[in-house]
Coordinates of all heavy atoms in Angstrom, one line a residue:
T1 N -17.5 1.4 1.5 CA -16.1 1.6 1.9 C -15.8 3.2 1.8 O -16.1 3.8 0.8 CB -15.2 0.9 0.8 OG1 -15.5 -0.4 0.8 CG2 -13.8 1.1 1.1
R2 N -15.1 3.6 2.9 CA -14.8 5.0 2.9 C -13.3 5.1 2.5 O -12.5 4.3 2.9 CB -15.0 5.6 4.3 CG -16.4 5.8 4.8 CD -17.0 7.1 4.3 NE -16.4 8.2 4.9 CZ -17.0 9.4 4.9 NH1 -18.1 9.5 4.3 NH2 -16.4 10.4 5.4
R3 N -13.0 6.1 1.8 CA -11.5 6.4 1.4 C -11.1 7.6 2.2 O -11.9 8.4 2.6 CB -11.5 6.6 -0.2 CG -11.8 5.3 -0.9 CD -12.4 5.6 -2.2 NE -12.7 4.4 -3.0 CZ -13.9 3.9 -3.1 NH1 -14.8 4.2 -2.4 NH2 -14.0 2.8 -3.8
S4 N -9.8 7.8 2.2 CA -9.3 8.9 3.0 C -8.2 9.6 2.2 O -7.4 9.1 1.5 CB -8.8 8.5 4.3 OG -8.2 9.5 5.0
S5 N -8.3 11.0 2.3 CA -7.2 11.8 1.7 C -6.8 12.8 2.8 O -7.6 13.5 3.4 CB -7.7 12.6 0.5 OG -6.7 13.3 -0.1
D6 N -5.5 12.9 3.0 CA -4.9 13.7 4.1 C -4.0 14.7 3.4 O -3.0 14.4 2.7 CB -4.1 12.8 5.1 CG -3.5 13.7 6.1 OD1 -3.6 14.9 6.2 OD2 -2.9 13.0 7.1
L7 N -4.3 16.0 3.4 CA -3.6 17.0 2.7 C -3.3 18.3 3.5 O -3.9 18.4 4.6 CB -4.2 17.4 1.5 CG -5.7 17.8 1.7 CD1 -5.8 19.3 1.5 CD2 -6.6 17.2 0.6
A8 N -2.3 19.0 3.1 CA -2.0 20.2 3.7 C -1.5 21.3 2.7 O -0.8 20.8 1.8 CB -1.0 20.1 4.8
W9 N -1.8 22.5 2.9 CA -1.2 23.5 2.1 C 0.2 23.4 1.7 O 0.7 23.6 0.5 CB -1.6 25.0 2.5 CG -1.0 26.1 1.8 CD1 -1.4 26.7 0.6 CD2 0.3 26.7 2.1 NE1 -0.6 27.6 0.3 CE2 0.5 27.6 1.1 CE3 1.2 26.5 3.1 CZ2 1.7 28.4 1.1 CZ3 2.4 27.3 3.1 CH2 2.6 28.2 2.1
C10 N 1.0 23.2 2.8 CA 2.4 23.1 2.6 C 2.9 22.0 1.7 O 4.0 22.0 1.2 CB 3.1 23.0 4.0 SG 2.8 21.6 4.8
Y11 N 2.1 21.0 1.5 CA 2.4 19.9 0.6 C 2.4 20.3 -0.8 O 3.0 19.8 -1.7 CB 1.5 18.7 0.7 CG 1.5 18.1 2.1 CD1 0.4 17.2 2.4 CD2 2.4 18.2 3.1 CE1 0.3 16.6 3.7 CE2 2.4 17.7 4.3 CZ 1.3 16.8 4.6 OH 1.1 16.3 5.9
G12 N 1.6 21.5 -1.1 CA 1.6 22.0 -2.4 C 0.9 21.2 -3.5 O 1.2 21.3 -4.7
N13 N 0.0 20.4 -3.1 CA -0.7 19.5 -4.0 C -2.3 19.5 -3.8 O -2.9 18.5 -4.3 CB -0.2 18.1 -3.9 CG -0.6 17.4 -2.6 OD1 -1.0 18.1 -1.6 ND2 -0.4 16.1 -2.4
E14 N -2.8 20.5 -3.2 CA -4.3 20.5 -3.0 C -5.1 20.4 -4.4 O -6.0 19.7 -4.4 CB -4.7 21.7 -2.2 CG -4.4 21.6 -0.7 CD -4.6 22.8 0.1 OE1 -4.9 23.9 -0.5 OE2 -4.8 22.7 1.3
A15 N -4.7 21.2 -5.3 CA -5.5 21.2 -6.6 C -5.3 19.9 -7.2 O -6.3 19.3 -7.8 CB -4.8 22.3 -7.5
E16 N -4.1 19.2 -7.1 CA -4.0 17.9 -7.7 C -4.8 16.8 -7.1 O -5.4 15.9 -7.7 CB -2.5 17.4 -7.7 CG -1.6 18.3 -8.7 CD -1.2 19.7 -8.1 OE1 -1.6 20.0 -7.0 OE2 -0.4 20.4 -8.8
V17 N -4.9 16.9 -5.7 CA -5.7 16.0 -5.1 C -7.1 16.2 -5.4 O -7.9 15.2 -5.6 CB -5.4 16.2 -3.4 CG1 -6.4 15.3 -2.7 CG2 -4.0 15.7 -3.1
G18 N -7.6 17.4 -5.4 CA -9.0 17.6 -5.8 C -9.3 17.1 -7.2 O -10.3 16.5 -7.4
Q19 N -8.4 17.3 -8.2 CA -8.5 16.8 -9.5 C -8.6 15.3 -9.4 O -9.4 14.7 -10.1 CB -7.5 17.3 -10.5 CG -7.7 17.0 -11.9 CD -9.0 17.7 -12.4 OE1 -9.1 18.7 -12.3 NE2 -9.9 16.8 -12.9
G20 N -7.8 14.6 -8.7 CA -7.7 13.2 -8.6 C -9.0 12.7 -8.0 O -9.6 11.6 -8.5
I21 N -9.6 13.4 -7.1 CA -10.9 13.0 -6.5 C -12.0 13.1 -7.5 O -12.8 12.1 -7.7 CB -11.3 13.9 -5.3 CG1 -10.3 13.5 -4.1 CG2 -12.7 13.7 -4.9 CD1 -10.4 14.5 -2.9
R22 N -12.0 14.1 -8.3 CA -13.0 14.3 -9.3 C -12.8 13.3 -10.5 O -13.8 12.7 -10.8 CB -13.0 15.7 -10.0 CG -13.5 16.7 -9.1 CD -13.7 18.1 -9.7 NE -12.3 18.7 -10.0 CZ -11.5 19.2 -9.2 NH1 -11.8 19.3 -7.9 NH2 -10.4 19.7 -9.5
D23 N -11.6 13.0 -10.8 CA -11.3 12.0 -11.9 C -11.6 10.6 -11.4 O -11.8 9.7 -12.2 CB -9.9 12.1 -12.3 CG -9.6 13.4 -13.1 OD1 -10.4 14.2 -13.5 OD2 -8.3 13.6 -13.2
S24 N -11.5 10.3 -10.1 CA -11.8 9.0 -9.7 C -13.2 8.4 -9.8 O -13.4 7.3 -10.0 CB -11.5 8.9 -8.1 OG -12.5 9.5 -7.4
G25 N -14.1 9.4 -9.9 CA -15.6 8.9 -10.1 C -16.2 8.5 -8.7 O -17.3 8.1 -8.7
V26 N -15.4 8.5 -7.7 CA -15.8 8.0 -6.3 C -16.7 9.3 -5.8 O -16.2 10.4 -5.8 CB -14.7 7.8 -5.3 CG1 -15.2 7.5 -4.0 CG2 -13.9 6.6 -6.0
P27 N -17.9 9.0 -5.4 CA -18.7 10.2 -4.8 C -18.0 10.8 -3.6 O -17.4 10.2 -2.8 CB -20.0 9.4 -4.3 CG -20.1 8.2 -5.1 CD -18.7 7.7 -5.3
R28 N -18.0 12.2 -3.6 CA -17.4 12.8 -2.6 C -17.8 12.4 -1.1 O -16.9 12.3 -0.3 CB -17.7 14.4 -2.6 CG -17.3 15.3 -1.5 CD -15.8 15.3 -1.2 NE -15.5 16.0 -0.1 CZ -15.3 15.5 1.1 NH1 -15.6 14.3 1.4 NH2 -15.0 16.3 2.1
R29 N -19.0 12.0 -0.9 CA -19.5 11.5 0.4 C -18.8 10.2 0.8 O -18.8 9.9 2.0 CB -21.0 11.3 0.4 CG -21.5 10.2 -0.5 CD -23.0 10.1 -0.6 NE -23.4 9.1 -1.4 CZ -23.5 9.2 -2.6 NH1 -23.3 10.3 -3.3 NH2 -23.9 8.2 -3.5
E30 N -18.1 9.6 0.0 CA -17.4 8.4 0.3 C -15.8 8.6 0.5 O -15.1 7.7 0.8 CB -17.5 7.3 -0.8 CG -19.0 6.8 -1.0 CD -19.1 5.8 -2.0 OE1 -18.1 5.2 -2.4 OE2 -20.3 5.5 -2.4
I31 N -15.5 9.9 0.4 CA -14.0 10.3 0.7 C -13.9 11.1 1.9 O -14.6 12.1 2.0 CB -13.4 10.9 -0.6 CG1 -13.6 10.0 -1.8 CG2 -11.9 11.2 -0.4 CD1 -13.2 10.8 -3.0
F32 N -13.2 10.7 2.9 CA -13.0 11.5 4.1 C -11.7 12.3 3.9 O -10.6 11.8 3.8 CB -12.8 10.5 5.3 CG -12.7 11.3 6.6 CD1 -13.9 11.4 7.4 CD2 -11.5 11.8 7.1 CE1 -13.9 12.0 8.5 CE2 -11.5 12.5 8.4 CZ -12.7 12.6 9.0
I33 N -11.9 13.7 3.8 CA -10.8 14.5 3.6 C -10.4 15.3 4.7 O -11.2 16.0 5.5 CB -11.2 15.6 2.5 CG1 -11.5 14.9 1.1 CG2 -10.0 16.5 2.2 CD1 -12.0 15.8 0.0
T34 N -9.2 15.2 5.1 CA -8.6 15.9 6.2 C -7.7 17.0 5.7 O -6.7 16.8 4.9 CB -7.7 15.0 7.1 OG1 -8.5 13.9 7.6 CG2 -7.1 15.7 8.3
G35 N -7.9 18.2 6.1 CA -7.1 19.3 5.7 C -6.3 19.8 6.9 O -6.8 19.6 8.0
K36 N -5.2 20.4 6.7 CA -4.3 20.9 7.8 C -4.2 22.4 7.7 O -3.9 22.9 6.6 CB -3.0 20.3 7.8 CG -3.1 18.7 8.1 CD -1.7 18.1 8.3 CE -1.8 16.6 8.4 NZ -1.9 16.0 7.1
L37 N -4.5 23.1 8.7 CA -4.5 24.6 8.8 C -3.0 24.9 9.1 O -2.5 24.6 10.2 CB -5.4 25.1 9.9 CG -5.7 26.5 10.0 CD1 -6.4 27.0 8.8 CD2 -6.5 26.8 11.2
W38 N -2.4 25.6 8.3 CA -1.0 25.9 8.4 C -0.9 27.0 9.4 O -1.8 27.8 9.8 CB -0.4 26.6 7.0 CG 1.0 26.7 7.0 CD1 1.7 27.9 7.0 CD2 2.1 25.6 7.2 NE1 3.0 27.7 7.0 CE2 3.3 26.3 7.1 CE3 2.0 24.3 7.2 CZ2 4.4 25.6 7.1 CZ3 3.0 23.5 7.4 CH2 4.3 24.2 7.3
S39 N 0.3 27.1 10.2 CA 0.5 27.9 11.3 C 0.3 29.4 11.1 O -0.2 30.1 12.0 CB 1.8 27.6 12.0 OG 2.8 28.0 11.0
T40 N 0.5 29.8 9.9 CA 0.3 31.2 9.7 C -1.1 31.6 9.5 O -1.5 32.8 9.4 CB 1.1 31.6 8.4 OG1 0.7 30.9 7.3 CG2 2.7 31.6 8.6
Y41 N -2.0 30.6 9.5 CA -3.4 30.9 9.4 C -4.2 30.5 10.6 O -5.4 30.6 10.6 CB -4.0 30.1 8.1 CG -3.7 30.6 6.9 CD1 -2.6 30.1 6.1 CD2 -4.5 31.6 6.3 CE1 -2.3 30.7 4.8 CE2 -4.2 32.2 5.1 CZ -3.1 31.7 4.3 OH -2.9 32.2 3.1
H42 N -3.6 30.3 11.7 CA -4.2 29.9 13.0 C -5.2 31.0 13.4 O -6.2 30.7 14.1 CB -3.3 29.5 14.0 CG -2.6 28.1 13.8 ND1 -1.7 27.6 14.7 CD2 -2.7 27.2 12.8 CE1 -1.3 26.4 14.1 NE2 -1.9 26.2 13.0
S43 N -4.9 32.3 13.2 CA -5.8 33.3 13.5 C -6.8 33.7 12.3 O -7.6 34.6 12.6 CB -5.0 34.6 13.9 OG -4.2 35.0 12.8
R44 N -6.6 32.9 11.2 CA -7.5 33.3 10.1 C -8.1 31.9 9.5 O -7.9 31.6 8.4 CB -6.8 34.0 9.0 CG -6.2 35.3 9.5 CD -5.3 36.0 8.4 NE -4.0 35.2 8.2 CZ -3.4 35.2 7.1 NH1 -3.6 36.0 6.1 NH2 -2.2 34.5 7.1
V45 N -8.9 31.2 10.4 CA -9.2 29.8 10.1 C -10.2 29.9 8.8 O -10.0 29.1 7.9 CB -9.9 29.3 11.3 CG1 -10.6 27.9 10.9 CG2 -9.0 29.1 12.5
A46 N -11.2 30.7 8.8 CA -12.2 30.8 7.7 C -11.4 31.0 6.4 O -11.8 30.4 5.4 CB -13.2 31.8 8.1
E47 N -10.5 32.0 6.4 CA -9.8 32.2 5.2 C -8.9 31.1 4.7 O -9.1 30.7 3.5 CB -8.8 33.4 5.4 CG -8.0 33.8 4.2 CD -6.9 34.9 4.5 OE1 -7.0 35.5 5.6 OE2 -6.2 35.2 3.6
A48 N -8.3 30.3 5.6 CA -7.5 29.2 5.2 C -8.4 28.1 4.7 O -8.1 27.4 3.7 CB -6.7 28.7 6.4
V49 N -9.5 27.8 5.4 CA -10.4 26.8 5.0 C -11.0 27.2 3.6 O -11.1 26.1 2.7 CB -11.5 26.5 6.0 CG1 -12.6 25.5 5.4 CG2 -10.9 25.9 7.2
D50 N -11.4 28.4 3.3 CA -11.9 28.7 2.1 C -10.8 28.5 0.9 O -11.2 28.1 -0.2 CB -12.3 30.3 2.1 CG -13.6 30.4 2.8 OD1 -14.3 29.4 3.1 OD2 -14.0 31.6 3.1
L51 N -9.6 28.9 1.2 CA -8.5 28.7 0.2 C -8.4 27.2 -0.1 O -8.2 26.8 -1.2 CB -7.2 29.3 0.8 CG -7.2 30.8 0.8 CD1 -6.0 31.3 1.5 CD2 -7.2 31.4 -0.6
T52 N -8.4 26.3 0.9 CA -8.2 24.9 0.7 C -9.4 24.3 -0.1 O -9.2 23.6 -1.0 CB -8.1 24.2 2.0 OG1 -6.9 24.5 2.6 CG2 -8.2 22.7 1.9
L53 N -10.6 24.8 0.3 CA -11.7 24.3 -0.4 C -11.8 24.8 -1.9 O -12.1 24.0 -2.8 CB -13.2 24.9 0.2 CG -13.4 24.2 1.6 CD1 -14.6 25.0 2.2 CD2 -13.5 22.8 1.6
Q54 N -11.3 25.9 -2.1 CA -11.3 26.4 -3.5 C -10.2 25.7 -4.2 O -10.4 25.3 -5.4 CB -10.9 27.9 -3.5 CG -10.8 28.6 -4.9 CD -10.4 30.0 -4.8 OE1 -10.1 30.6 -3.7 NE2 -10.4 30.7 -5.9
S55 N -9.1 25.3 -3.7 CA -8.0 24.6 -4.4 C -8.4 23.2 -4.7 O -8.2 22.6 -5.7 CB -6.7 24.6 -3.5 OG -6.1 25.8 -3.4
L56 N -9.2 22.5 -3.7 CA -9.6 21.3 -3.9 C -10.8 21.1 -4.8 O -11.0 20.1 -5.5 CB -10.1 20.7 -2.5 CG -9.1 20.2 -1.6 CD1 -9.8 19.9 -0.2 CD2 -8.4 18.9 -2.1
G57 N -11.7 22.2 -5.0 CA -12.8 22.1 -5.7 C -14.0 21.4 -5.1 O -14.7 20.8 -5.7
T58 N -14.1 21.5 -3.7 CA -15.1 20.9 -3.0 C -15.7 21.8 -2.0 O -15.1 22.9 -1.9 CB -14.6 19.6 -2.3 OG1 -15.6 18.9 -1.7 CG2 -13.5 19.9 -1.1
D59 N -16.8 21.4 -1.4 CA -17.5 22.5 -0.7 C -17.4 22.1 0.8 O -18.0 22.9 1.7 CB -18.9 22.5 -0.9 CG -19.7 21.3 -1.0 OD1 -19.1 20.2 -0.8 OD2 -20.9 21.4 -1.1
Y60 N -16.6 21.1 1.3 CA -16.4 20.9 2.8 C -15.3 19.9 3.0 O -14.8 19.1 2.1 CB -17.7 20.2 3.4 CG -18.0 18.8 2.9 CD1 -17.7 17.7 3.7 CD2 -18.7 18.6 1.7 CE1 -18.0 16.4 3.3 CE2 -19.0 17.3 1.5 CZ -18.6 16.2 2.1 OH -18.9 14.9 1.8
L61 N -14.7 20.1 4.1 CA -13.7 19.1 4.7 C -14.3 18.4 5.8 O -15.3 18.7 6.5 CB -12.5 19.9 5.3 CG -11.7 20.7 4.4 CD1 -10.7 21.6 5.3 CD2 -10.9 19.9 3.4
D62 N -14.0 17.0 5.9 CA -14.4 16.3 7.0 C -13.7 16.5 8.3 O -14.3 16.4 9.4 CB -14.3 14.8 6.6 CG -15.2 14.5 5.4 OD1 -16.4 14.4 5.6 OD2 -14.6 14.3 4.3
L63 N -12.5 17.0 8.2 CA -11.7 17.3 9.5 C -10.7 18.3 9.0 O -10.1 18.2 8.0 CB -10.9 15.9 9.9 CG -10.0 16.1 11.1 CD1 -10.6 16.5 12.4 CD2 -9.2 14.9 11.2
C64 N -10.5 19.2 9.9 CA -9.5 20.3 9.7 C -8.6 20.3 11.0 O -9.0 20.5 12.1 CB -10.1 21.7 9.5 SG -8.9 23.0 9.1
A65 N -7.3 20.1 10.8 CA -6.4 20.0 11.9 C -5.4 21.1 11.9 O -5.1 21.7 10.8 CB -5.5 18.7 11.9
F66 N -4.9 21.5 13.0 CA -3.9 22.6 13.1 C -2.6 21.9 12.8 O -2.2 20.9 13.4 CB -3.9 23.3 14.4 CG -5.0 24.2 14.6 CD1 -6.2 23.7 15.1 CD2 -4.9 25.5 14.4 CE1 -7.3 24.5 15.3 CE2 -6.1 26.4 14.5 CZ -7.2 25.8 15.0
F67 N -1.7 22.6 11.9 CA -0.5 22.0 11.6 C 0.7 23.0 11.5 O 0.5 24.1 11.1 CB -0.7 21.4 10.1 CG 0.5 20.7 9.5 CD1 0.8 19.4 9.8 CD2 1.2 21.3 8.5 CE1 1.8 18.8 9.3 CE2 2.2 20.6 7.9 CZ 2.5 19.4 8.3
S68 N 1.9 22.5 11.9 CA 3.0 23.3 11.7 C 4.2 22.4 11.7 O 4.3 21.4 12.6 CB 3.1 24.3 12.9 OG 4.3 25.1 12.8
S69 N 5.2 22.7 10.8 CA 6.3 21.9 10.7 C 7.5 22.7 10.1 O 7.5 23.0 9.0 CB 6.2 20.6 9.7 OG 7.5 20.0 9.7
S70 N 8.4 23.1 11.0 CA 9.6 23.9 10.5 C 10.4 23.2 9.5 O 11.0 23.8 8.6 CB 10.3 24.6 11.6 OG 10.8 23.4 12.3
S71 N 10.5 21.9 9.6 CA 11.3 21.2 8.6 C 10.7 21.3 7.2 O 11.5 21.3 6.2 CB 11.5 19.7 9.1 OG 10.3 19.1 9.1
I72 N 9.4 21.2 7.1 CA 8.8 21.3 5.8 C 9.0 22.7 5.2 O 9.2 22.8 4.1 CB 7.3 21.0 5.9 CG1 7.1 19.4 6.1 CG2 6.6 21.2 4.6 CD1 5.7 19.0 6.4
I73 N 8.8 23.7 6.1 CA 9.1 25.1 5.6 C 10.4 25.2 5.0 O 10.7 25.7 4.0 CB 8.9 26.1 6.7 CG1 7.4 26.1 7.2 CG2 9.3 27.5 6.3 CD1 7.2 26.9 8.4
L74 N 11.5 24.7 5.8 CA 12.9 24.8 5.4 C 13.1 24.1 4.0 O 13.7 24.6 3.1 CB 13.8 24.3 6.5 CG 15.3 24.3 6.2 CD1 15.7 25.8 5.9 CD2 16.1 23.8 7.4
S75 N 12.5 22.9 3.9 CA 12.6 22.1 2.7 C 12.1 22.9 1.5 O 12.6 22.9 0.4 CB 11.9 20.7 2.9 OG 11.9 20.0 1.8
R76 N 10.9 23.4 1.7 CA 10.2 24.2 0.5 C 11.1 25.4 0.1 O 11.2 25.7 -1.0 CB 8.9 24.5 0.8 CG 7.9 23.2 0.8 CD 6.5 23.6 0.8 NE 6.1 24.2 -0.4 CZ 4.9 24.6 -0.7 NH1 3.9 24.3 0.1 NH2 4.6 25.2 -1.9
L77 N 11.5 26.0 1.1 CA 12.3 27.3 0.9 C 13.5 26.9 0.1 O 14.0 27.6 -0.8 CB 12.6 28.1 2.2 CG 11.4 28.8 2.9 CD1 11.8 29.3 4.2 CD2 11.0 29.9 1.9
L78 N 14.2 25.9 0.5 CA 15.5 25.5 -0.1 C 15.3 25.0 -1.6 O 16.1 25.4 -2.4 CB 16.1 24.3 0.8 CG 16.7 24.8 2.1 CD1 17.2 23.6 2.9 CD2 17.9 25.8 2.0
S79 N 14.2 24.3 -1.8 CA 13.9 23.8 -3.0 C 13.4 25.0 -4.0 O 13.8 24.9 -5.2 CB 12.8 22.7 -3.1 OG 11.5 23.3 -2.8
Q80 N 12.8 26.0 -3.5 CA 12.6 27.1 -4.3 C 13.6 28.0 -4.6 O 13.7 28.8 -5.6 CB 11.4 28.0 -3.6 CG 10.0 27.2 -3.5 CD 9.1 28.0 -2.7 OE1 9.4 29.1 -2.1 NE2 7.9 27.5 -2.6
S81 N 14.7 28.0 -3.8 CA 15.9 28.9 -4.1 C 16.8 28.3 -4.9 O 17.8 29.0 -5.4 CB 16.6 29.3 -2.7 OG 17.1 28.1 -2.1
S82 N 16.7 27.1 -5.3 CA 17.7 26.4 -6.3 C 17.3 26.4 -7.7 O 16.2 26.7 -8.1 CB 18.0 25.0 -5.8 OG 17.0 24.2 -5.5

C-alpha cells in the first residue's frame, strides 16, 4: 500500500509533515511525497527543492509541481499582520 503526502512551502507545515512521516514508522519508499515549487522559486528550482528536502528531512521528492496561489499569499500575509 502506497501512502501520499501533498505539501507546499506556503502551507507552512513541511517540517511537521516530515516529522509525522518519521514518527509513523512507515518506510519512506512507501510514501509518495508531492512538493510544490512556489512561484518565487520558479527560476531557482534546485534551491527550492533543497529547502523542501531539508525541512522534510528526506532525500527525495516523488513529484515536484509548480504552484502559485495569490489567495494563499493574501491569507498568510493577513494572518501574520494581526
Side-chain angles (χ1 to χ4, degrees):
T1 302
R2 293 277 291 199
R3 294 150 176 98
S4 179
S5 182
D6 181 355
L7 54 105
W9 169 84
C10 68
Y11 300 161
N13 66 348
E14 290 178 337
E16 291 82 359
V17 170
Q19 188 63 52
I21 289 170
R22 287 186 295 284
D23 291 349
S24 75
V26 176
R28 169 62 183 90
R29 68 183 177 279
E30 293 181 15
I31 302 172
F32 190 93
I33 300 177
T34 300
K36 295 188 185 87
L37 188 67
W38 192 245
S39 61
T40 57
Y41 284 96
H42 287 180
S43 63
R44 301 175 290 156
V45 175
E47 179 184 354
V49 171
D50 286 345
L51 290 170
T52 292
L53 294 175
Q54 182 180 3
S55 293
L56 281 171
T58 190
D59 58 350
Y60 69 97
L61 296 174
D62 297 286
L63 175 66
C64 185
F66 288 87
F67 181 74
S68 180
S69 175
S70 58
S71 62
I72 291 175
I73 293 171
L74 181 57
S75 174
R76 284 191 74 174
L77 289 173
L78 291 173
S79 69
Q80 290 174 358
S81 66
S82 47

